[in-house]
Every structure is written in C-alpha cells, then in structure tokens.
Amino acid sequence: MKPAPDYVPAHGLLKGKSVLVTAAAGAGIGFSAAKRAAEEGCRALFISDVHERRLNEAVEAIKRDTNLQQVYGQLCDESQQPQVDALIAAAEDKLGGIDVLINNAGFGSTK
C-alpha cells in the first residue's frame, strides 16, 4: 500500500469570498469542505447542521485550526424549507452576501 500523499497547501482560491456550507458538522465531507474553504482564504464562513453540539464544536474547531474568526453556525434541517429560508437569510445578513454555496446536505430514502 502506498503512503498517503502530503496535504496539499492552500492556494488562496477563495481569498475574500464568503462561503456557506450545509451539513458541515462532524467529521465528514461538509466539515472538510468548510475547513478547506477557510484554509483557502475565505473572508467569512457560515455552516449549518441539525446537531447543535456538533455544530458548535465544528465552528470552534475551524476557528482554532485555521485562525479564521469569522465562522458562524446555525441549526438547520435542510428538509424543512422554512429553516432553509432562515439559514439563507441569516448567512446573507452575517456574511454580507454569499459568494460560494456548498450544498452538502444529503437525503436518503428507504424502499
């Protein structure tokens, strides 16, 4: 088995941009995308999730690990349109507009 490649250094791809990432708490794709957005130089980051404790932990971890202090979180169940509308409004207000949206929320089904 080959060793894992080195972590790719940031290139400033999101310098000065505001970013909203849904379903970004925990240890999955959403959290990784949010953290990378901060590493790539976004000026502000807004994340959401349905789990309050994990959301708060994710906000604090991104602040601590990237030194970006303009990281905000809001509870949101993306299956509920009124909550999505409130999330977009809050992010636009706090960030002064949304330049990048990463819609990471996944919806499964049972058959």
Side-chain angles (χ1 to χ4, degrees):
M1 178 184 281
K2 292 181 182 180
D6 292 334
Y7 193 75
V8 178
H11 293 89
L13 299 173
L14 296 174
K15 186 174 182 175
K17 302 292 184 184
S18 60
V19 179
L20 168 61
V21 184
T22 65
I29 293 170
F31 177 77
S32 294
K35 184 176 176 186
R36 187 61 185 201
E39 293 169 349
E40 288 292 346
C42 71
R43 65 176 172 76
L45 178 63
F46 204 103
I47 64 173
S48 71
D49 205 273
V50 296
H51 303 284
E52 185 172 18
R53 179 188 53 80
R54 290 192 331 209
L55 177 62
N56 293 332
E57 289 172 354
V59 167
E60 292 308 313
I62 292 168
K63 286 180 177 181
R64 179 190 66 239
D65 295 347
T66 68
N67 292 319
L68 178 66
Q69 295 307 300
Q70 291 73 38
V71 182
Y72 310 99
Q74 180 164 314
L75 287 172
C76 183
D77 177 349
E78 282 84 6
S79 70
Q80 302 300 312
Q81 189 62 48
Q83 290 186 39
V84 173
D85 294 342
L87 172 66
I88 298 296
E92 286 181 333
D93 181 59
K94 199 65 142 169
L95 304 177
I98 301 167
D99 296 311
V100 178
L101 168 64
I102 301 173
N103 187 14
N104 178 62
F107 298 99
S109 66
T110 57
K111 289 187 177 186

